[in-house]
Amino acid sequence: MVRQSEGSVPKSNRRTVCYRMIQYRGTTNPIRQYIKSKPLPWAFKVWGRAGTSGMLFDIYQGGDGTRSHLDQGGDVVMKLVLTLEKNSTYKIYADNLFTSVPLLEKLLGWGLQNTGTVRQNQLLNCNIKGEKELKKESRGSFDFRVKDTPKISAVRWFDNRAVTMLSTHTCVEPLHMARR
């Protein structure tokens, strides 16, 4: 896979944003969530930010009716990074729920770098090759685009299926072959 070498990001500056469902079988708690497709359909949804210095958690308690242009995932990331210093060397890694172009632009304004997988509908006006085209080129093929202002790279890589990433601190270099 295309990625930066392990030594290029000091472990003390890595942060990960994620969520977890914590099972709850009770029936009276108003903040429990029901998500039919999950292994634990009735549970508490907990947002978290992990780093080498510890973890920060926030229990989702339902929407308050307001939402910014960043959507729910972006709002969660912004809430969790409020404790980080602006213009620091932190690099944030997230999955597709927490990655979008407007969020990356906002984090860059704070001086924070971000890399994450992204959903197809979050790639606004990006002419990157589709999964069918990459599949024809075989496993290991990729395509990328770089937006200059602000500098955001989009990379789609094909293994068994296409994976798309957005990043503000890395692109496709250096390339190397992975052994299976």
Side-chain angles (χ1 to χ4, degrees):
M1 178 158 179
V2 179
R3 65 180 214 193
Q4 238 182 344
S5 64
E6 205 47 46
S8 61
V9 180
K11 287 187 178 185
S12 62
N13 292 342
R14 295 181 197 166
R15 300 291 180 258
T16 305
V17 177
C18 59
Y19 81 95
R20 177 146 184 118
M21 300 299 285
I22 299 174
Q23 186 173 14
Y24 179 74
R25 294 180 190 249
T27 59
T28 59
N29 198 311
I31 64 171
R32 69 187 176 137
Q33 300 289 305
Y34 178 73
I35 303 176
K36 181 174 145 181
S37 62
K38 295 291 182 185
L40 306 171
W42 287 102
F44 294 117
K45 186 183 285 187
V46 179
W47 311 112
R49 185 201 69 182
T52 55
S53 60
M55 297 189 80
L56 176 67
F57 292 105
D58 181 35
I59 297 176
Y60 178 67
Q61 300 179 31
D64 60 1
T66 62
R67 190 169 282 175
S68 73
H69 69 286
L70 300 176
D71 293 324
Q72 184 182 32
D75 291 342
V76 168
V77 171
M78 293 310 298
K79 185 175 182 180
L80 293 172
V81 300
L82 284 175
T83 60
L84 299 177
E85 306 159 14
K86 287 186 180 180
N87 299 316
S88 61
T89 58
Y90 292 118
K91 298 191 175 20
I92 298 167
Y93 298 88
D95 71 3
N96 61 25
L97 177 63
F98 304 104
T99 306
S100 67
V101 173
L103 174 63
L104 268 65
E105 290 173 345
K106 185 157 188 167
L107 288 172
L108 268 179
W110 279 43
L112 298 170
Q113 303 291 316
N114 192 323
T115 296
T117 57
V118 67
R119 296 174 181 176
Q120 178 63 35
N121 65 351
Q122 293 292 334
L123 292 175
L124 308 172
N125 302 321
C126 184
N127 299 337
I128 201 163
K129 287 183 183 177
E131 185 168 358
K132 289 181 180 179
E133 293 174 85
L134 292 175
K135 189 174 187 175
K136 288 178 187 175
E137 294 177 20
S138 79
R139 177 180 281 166
S141 59
F142 67 93
D143 189 26
F144 70 98
R145 298 289 182 267
V146 178
K147 180 180 174 184
D148 288 327
T149 317
K151 199 153 197 105
I152 297 174
S153 61
V155 179
R156 179 167 290 146
W157 174 72
F158 186 80
D159 185 31
N160 293 327
R161 56 181 273 259
V163 176
T164 309
M165 295 176 45
L166 288 178
S167 182
T168 57
H169 68 89
T170 189
C171 192
V172 295
E173 297 292 335
L175 287 176
H176 67 276
M177 293 298 291
R179 289 179 48 188
R180 289 188 167 268

